Amino acid sequence: MDNWFIVLNVLVFIGLLSILLYMQKKHFSYAKRVFTGMGIGIVLGVILQAIYGEGSDILSGTLDWYSIVGSGYIRLLMLIVIPLVMFSIIRAIINLKETKQLGKIAAWVIGVLITTTLIAAVVGIGSALIFDLSAEQIEAGQAEAERGASLEERFESMVDQTTPQRLIEFIPSNIFLDMTGERPTSVIAVVIFSILVGVATLGVNRKQPEQAEAFTKLINAVFAIVMRIVTLILRLTPFGVLALMTNMVASTNFAGILQLGKFVIASYVALIVMFFIHLLIVSGFKLNPMTFVKKIIPVLGFAFTSRSSAGTIPLNVSAQKNALGVDDGAANMSASFGATMGQNGCAGIYPAMLAIMIAPTMDINPLSPEFLIQLVLITAISSFGVAGVGGGATFAAIIVLSSMGLPVALAGLLITIEPLIDMGRTAINVNGSIVAGTVTSKVLGNLDERTFNDKKAVVESAGI
């Protein structure tokens, strides 16, 4: 009997997907399709959990089928990330003609990412103090205890790795391994390799222009194909968002959210404050923040739903180049670096809030200037090498808490609300990387402000 209900739910899901397909054929805007998918997913998720109950066999079986669309879409995005990053950066460097410009782009992108992460840590601390968060107020159940034990085991495997050693992990020793995305820092490793290839091509161009020209033609041809694949995959975004949001809402532990509602509210207050700080930064460089927001809304919507900074790279790059007028180099570097370092939500706000919560359990005064300064600096430095997929915030929290001498196991207390908060964190991570790319392009005089201010220049201009 259960199987018949699952079949019915799958048929309903297919019918809802057909609505999005109809909207696509009628040329509804990309943003409208994405947010329609998100809205339908929320409603469907609530209905499914209300009818079948959280964790029921029918619900689990239904979501397994839905995940073919949701998880399948994420896999396709992850598939194209490495080729996109590699060929985009090589092509961008070849077009720069000067390696001096490359150094400036990298310096500005990394500088903005780390600076905003430091600011995010301060925001996280402020929110935790204002809401008077404390780990002593949270009751630990079996799931939380198991998560805490898991974090301790993970910490033991990382405890001997210093910050310099983590930085060394950025340098590739086997580029073919990193092309598989096997390591948390694989994207950065591919960026470094691509930079070397681009710089080498510029050198060959000065001494053997014929060979450099042949290689450049090859890169341009492959890049055109890669971008076409990106466009084809991004057209599936509304369908993926519908499936991902349905799975997310239908499997959410609403009782746990109510129990930890104070932390959820404090987290989203911090994330919203950080979002407005991003807009102030954009405004400070004489760019219209409202124009900026309108053009990146579809990107943030997908980041919110997918909870994957790395998976958002293709859409991130497309939006920066086609909607905001950011140059190739800054767009690709900011999206790539932003998926692995300087993540404002996962590596800035979250670890700082946890540290403030946990400090009282160790008889540490969280208002101590010495503690606060140390926490902010460690949070900013530790933001290097945070993985751009699910679990990046946990990785960052382990590093920060252990560096501060705080027990990492207590981070497991928040397991029930982790997915809900991670949605907002990922959106802020991605927004921070877009700000880094936009600011860098503006400062170096490479921003096409005509495109930035053109209301018609949106993500659809990529053919999505």
Side-chain angles (χ1 to χ4, degrees), residues 151-169 395 398-399 402-403 408:
L151 290 178
E152 284 188 318
E153 291 178 5
R154 190 171 181 180
F155 166 65
E156 289 174 2
S157 66
M158 298 164 48
V159 69
D160 295 328
Q161 194 177 45
T162 64
T163 297
Q165 289 172 333
R166 286 195 294 271
L167 294 177
I168 290 174
E169 290 296 311
F395 183 76
I398 290 174
I399 296 172
S402 61
S403 299
V408 299

Side-chain angles (χ1 to χ4, degrees), residues 118-284:
L118 190 148
I119 295 171
V122 175
V123 171
I125 290 170
S127 183
L129 292 174
I130 290 172
F131 282 87
D132 192 26
L133 299 181
S134 174
E136 295 173 334
Q137 302 168 355
I138 303 174
E139 296 181 8
Q142 182 179 353
E144 287 78 6
E146 291 176 354
R147 174 66 180 276
S150 173
L151 290 178
E152 284 188 318
E153 291 178 5
R154 190 171 181 180
F155 166 65
E156 289 174 2
S157 66
M158 298 164 48
V159 69
D160 295 328
Q161 194 177 45
T162 64
T163 297
Q165 289 172 333
R166 286 195 294 271
L167 294 177
I168 290 174
E169 290 296 311
F170 290 160
I171 302 173
S173 59
N174 183 343
I175 191 60
F176 297 103
L177 174 67
D178 286 315
M179 284 181 184
T180 67
E182 184 67 23
R183 303 188 301 142
T185 56
S186 284
V187 173
I188 296 296
V190 170
V191 169
I192 293 174
F193 176 76
S194 302
I195 290 174
L196 289 174
V197 173
V199 171
T201 304
L202 293 178
V204 171
N205 188 53
R206 288 192 292 269
K207 297 182 179 180
Q208 299 171 292
E210 298 85 3
Q211 282 82 353
E213 183 180 356
F215 182 72
T216 300
K217 287 182 179 179
L218 174 64
I219 292 297
N220 286 331
V222 175
F223 175 77
I225 294 172
V226 168
M227 289 309 298
R228 183 57 185 169
I229 295 173
V230 169
T231 299
L232 293 174
I233 294 174
L234 292 184
R235 283 179 178 173
L236 302 174
T237 300
F239 307 101
V241 165
L242 192 160
L244 290 167
M245 186 56 77
T246 301
N247 280 34
M248 173 67 195
V249 174
S251 57
T252 295
N253 182 349
F254 290 103
I257 292 174
L258 291 175
Q259 182 183 0
L260 298 172
K262 191 177 180 181
F263 185 83
V264 174
I265 295 171
S267 296
Y268 272 91
V269 166
L271 292 169
I272 291 170
V273 168
M274 195 61 213
F275 179 72
F276 280 106
I277 290 175
H278 285 165
L279 298 187
L280 286 175
I281 293 172
V282 171
S283 179

Side-chain angles (χ1 to χ4, degrees), residues 8 13 56 61 64 112 117 134 168 195 222 231 256 298 316 360 387 444:
L8 176 61
F13 182 69
S56 67
D64 277 345
V112 173
T117 300
S134 174
I168 290 174
I195 290 174
V222 175
T231 299
N316 186 337
L444 299 180

